[in-house]
Amino acid sequence: MAVCVQTDDFDVAAETEKLIGARTDIGAVVTFTGRVREGEGDKRITSMTLEHYPDMTEAEMSRIEAEAHARWPLQATTLIHRVGELRPGEQIVLVIAASAHRQAAFEAAAFLMDFLKTRAPFWKKEMLLNGDSAWVDARETDDNAAGRWG
């Protein structure tokens, strides 16, 4: 299990190789890479700044990861979330779930991402194209997605 909060970008292939290496007990690897969008409709952004409290954020990410391991037969997982100023198109989050079987890997990856969005304490501030800035509120759709896990 691996949890990391960092400012630097990540390499999906390198992180996947680091996680699974030469292991032969892994039959399925599911990766999710989240990227910064340019915005929607008339709300275009030039950048997004992510803030966090390091100990609190990493502890919650570790709890989320442990809960996934308790729910599914996972061999390994990686959670990487970036902080700092990010521009549209840049990578922001990586979730890797590895299991002997695809169903567990798919479900665990979805669970991990749903709970990173709703439980991990990150604060996002968008810098808008028009020069304004705004903190991003929690979304009901994210809460609904996490709610499906009971």
Side-chain angles (χ1 to χ4, degrees):
M1 298 192 321
V3 167
C4 185
V5 178
Q6 62 192 46
T7 56
D8 293 335
D9 197 6
F10 51 82
D11 179 319
V12 176
E15 292 297 334
T16 302
E17 180 59 27
K18 184 166 82 174
L19 182 71
I20 62 173
R23 292 180 65 168
T24 58
D25 60 330
I26 295 172
V29 178
V30 172
T31 65
F32 172 83
T33 306
R35 298 168 55 92
V36 178
R37 290 187 311 272
E38 66 181 6
E40 298 173 354
D42 293 335
K43 186 180 169 189
R44 300 284 181 208
I45 69 167
T46 58
S47 67
M48 176 185 289
T49 300
L50 286 94
E51 297 180 4
H52 75 302
Y53 290 118
D55 293 340
M56 185 170 68
T57 301
E58 291 165 358
E60 186 57 34
M61 288 174 68
S62 293
R63 280 190 284 277
I64 294 165
E65 184 181 42
E67 189 172 338
H69 279 263
R71 287 176 177 241
W72 292 279
L74 299 172
Q75 269 73 10
T77 50
T78 294
L79 304 176
I80 299 174
H81 206 298
R82 293 181 66 199
V83 293
E85 185 177 8
L86 302 172
R87 304 215 178 279
E90 289 190 73
Q91 299 180 127
I92 189 170
V93 64
L94 175 63
V95 170
I96 307 174
S99 180
H101 303 286
R102 71 180 183 273
Q103 189 72 27
F106 275 117
E107 289 179 7
F111 170 89
L112 288 163
M113 195 58 233
D114 286 344
F115 280 91
L116 280 175
K117 291 283 286 184
T118 58
R119 285 194 353 210
F122 290 98
W123 295 272
K124 301 174 184 177
K125 186 175 190 177
E126 295 176 333
M127 299 303 296
L128 305 177
L129 198 56
N130 67 7
D132 291 341
S133 64
W135 290 100
V136 177
D137 292 326
R139 294 183 182 169
E140 185 177 341
T141 55
D142 292 333
D143 290 334
N144 291 341
R148 70 184 165 142
W149 302 106

